[in-house]
Amino acid sequence: MDRHPGEDGLAALWRARRPSVPPLAHTFRSAYADRWVRFHSLPGSKRCPESQEEYAMVIERYNTVLDELFTALDVFVVTMDWSSTPNGHEGFVTPRRQLHPEGMLWWTESVEDDPDPEFHTHTRLYADRRPWRRGCVDDLLLAVADEALVEVFVTDTDLRRIHHPYDGGADVVLSTPGERDRLRGRHFDWLSSHPAGL
């Protein structure tokens, strides 16, 4: 199996299946509000793990939902980096390259509306395709929990379900509101008490 989805092919698939927003994970909650749910990684909405037990709970919760979404499927694993220059220099330093060496560039989202080039940003997304297996993205999940990586997400190859881990939990987009409600009901104890589900 080719682990590299191809820049043009995956970009075209995203545009066809999810035309309302670019593949920037922070946009998914508002773009897909009717199919979105947020799960917290630690009790009491605690954001950052501080012990081995808490790290184990974070990984367990991430993987439990990922298993429910993707068992027996292939997935795209997506990571991100960004810089203030189009060529990738002067960027925000992350361990993305070390933790996701298989990722091939497939999307660049540039924001250049400010007249001052110093305020331009160029976000680059990298993806690889792999069979979902519990634990296959644990290094990425731990980096997310520690805020060393952001904008990571995992999706099936039809882009029907998306799991976006962040430091403190995960935003999940399902294929229908009903599917979202069933998943939310199975993990009711992991939900926020905030009225908006945040």
Side-chain angles (χ1 to χ4, degrees), residues 55 59 62 95-96 99 137-150 152 166-167:
Y55 277 104
I59 289 296
Y62 283 145
R96 189 210 66 77
L99 294 175
V137 293
D138 280 3
D139 289 345
L140 292 173
L141 295 174
L142 287 169
V144 167
D146 286 335
E147 295 185 273
L149 288 179
V150 296
V152 171
Y166 69 92
D167 60 303

Side-chain angles (χ1 to χ4, degrees), residues 16-94:
R17 299 281 169 86
R18 298 209 171 263
S20 59
V21 291
L24 301 177
H26 70 272
T27 67
F28 299 161
R29 177 171 59 90
S30 57
Y32 309 113
D34 64 326
R35 292 168 279 158
W36 164 87
V37 62
R38 173 171 287 180
F39 296 113
H40 287 183
S41 295
L42 292 168
S45 301
K46 182 177 179 180
R47 289 191 73 104
C48 299
E50 298 178 302
S51 67
Q52 289 305 310
E53 292 77 15
E54 288 183 341
Y55 277 104
M57 179 179 286
V58 167
I59 289 296
E60 175 65 22
R61 288 191 182 187
Y62 283 145
N63 275 306
T64 295
V65 175
L66 285 160
D67 276 348
E68 291 183 44
L69 299 176
F70 303 127
T71 292
L73 298 176
D74 279 3
V75 296
F76 293 125
V77 177
V78 179
T79 56
M80 178 276 284
D81 66 22
W82 66 271
S83 72
S84 58
T85 60
N87 60 13
H89 299 298
E90 302 172 20
F92 179 67
V93 178
T94 76

Side-chain angles (χ1 to χ4, degrees), residues 37-42 57 60-69 134 163 170 172 174 179-193 197:
V37 62
R38 173 171 287 180
F39 296 113
H40 287 183
S41 295
L42 292 168
M57 179 179 286
E60 175 65 22
R61 288 191 182 187
Y62 283 145
N63 275 306
T64 295
V65 175
L66 285 160
D67 276 348
E68 291 183 44
L69 299 176
R134 187 180 187 92
H163 182 280
V172 182
L174 284 305
E179 186 180 36
R180 183 271 317 271
D181 293 346
R182 289 188 292 276
L183 183 68
R184 183 167 55 191
R186 287 196 295 273
H187 304 293
F188 184 80
D189 291 346
W190 301 354
L191 300 175
S192 169
S193 59

